[in-house]
């Protein structure tokens, strides 16, 4: 699901920018250039998503290690060593993925701000003045 969210965002952003170009009268957004930049920035996530959907399921050594240590812990209930190993492996993998998600979320915030800026440049009627209620004279 993590990788699919990048693809979904990509498609929704493309549709949004194309819609803005259809409605904007004089200024247009270079959607092709944006898509190339998006694909360059999020290339690894897009490739993983395509691999999961078109070739084989996602494969991560850390996740396999979590699964393996869990199976060993369940296979030998008296062994506290495998349970301890499983907990530490799970925590390490969780920490690694949480950090990855935080880093990519920060980059995605920049991407969203760039999209919003491009839309505001093309559609000045959406700017801060447009948000103010009309004042009676």
């Amino acid at each position: 699901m993590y990788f699919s969210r990048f693809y979904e965002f990509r498609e929704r952003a493309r549709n949004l920018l194309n819609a803005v170009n259809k409605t904007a009268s004089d200024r247009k957004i270079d959607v092709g250039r944006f898509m190339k930049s998006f694909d360059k920035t999020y290339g690894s996530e897009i490739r993983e998503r395509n691999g999961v959907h078109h070739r084989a399921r996602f494969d991560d050594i850390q996740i396999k290690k979590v699964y393996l240590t869990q199976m060993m812990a369940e296979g030998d209930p008296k062994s506290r060593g495998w349970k301890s190993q499983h907990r530490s492996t799970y925590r390490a993998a969780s920490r690694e993925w949480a950090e990855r998600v935080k880093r990519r979320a920060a980059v995605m915030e920049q991407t969203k701000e760039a999209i919003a800026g491009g839309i505001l440049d093309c559609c000045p009627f959406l700017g801060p003045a447009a948000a103010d209620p009309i004042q009676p004279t």
Side-chain angles (χ1 to χ4, degrees):
M1 287 177 20
Y2 170 76
F3 299 117
S4 291
R5 295 297 175 251
F6 290 93
Y7 180 77
E8 289 171 12
F9 186 89
R10 178 187 188 279
E11 293 304 303
R12 289 178 180 173
R14 182 177 55 82
N15 291 337
L16 171 66
L17 296 176
N18 284 329
V20 167
N21 280 344
K22 286 181 183 177
T23 59
S25 58
D26 53 343
R27 297 191 63 183
K28 302 290 182 190
I29 297 172
D30 187 349
V31 179
R33 193 173 97 199
F34 170 78
M35 298 312 294
K36 284 182 183 179
S37 175
F38 187 93
D39 290 346
K40 182 178 179 185
T41 302
Y42 302 103
S44 63
E45 287 87 358
I46 298 293
R47 280 189 299 277
E48 283 292 341
R49 181 259 174 208
N50 288 341
V52 167
H53 283 272
H54 300 292
R55 288 188 300 276
R57 60 188 226 183
F58 179 68
D59 189 24
D60 182 70
I61 192 73
Q62 281 293 95
I63 294 173
K64 282 184 175 181
K65 188 175 179 183
V66 169
Y67 175 74
L68 180 62
T69 55
Q70 178 185 11
M71 290 296 104
M72 294 302 289
E74 289 175 1
D76 187 3
K78 295 178 185 177
S79 172
R80 298 180 68 65
W82 282 113
K83 287 181 183 179
S84 170
Q85 181 66 36
H86 172 67
R87 272 193 306 275
S88 71
T89 302
Y90 177 80
R91 287 181 182 147
S94 296
R95 190 171 34 255
E96 180 182 313
W97 275 95
E99 286 301 315
R100 180 181 190 170
V101 168
K102 287 177 188 174
R103 283 191 312 270
R104 299 312 275 166
V107 175
M108 185 59 77
E109 282 299 317
Q110 294 172 346
T111 302
K112 292 188 311 187
E113 287 298 322
I115 292 170
I119 292 172
L120 289 175
D121 285 345
C122 287
C123 306
F125 57 86
L126 295 174
D132 293 341
I134 298 174
Q135 298 294 326
T137 55

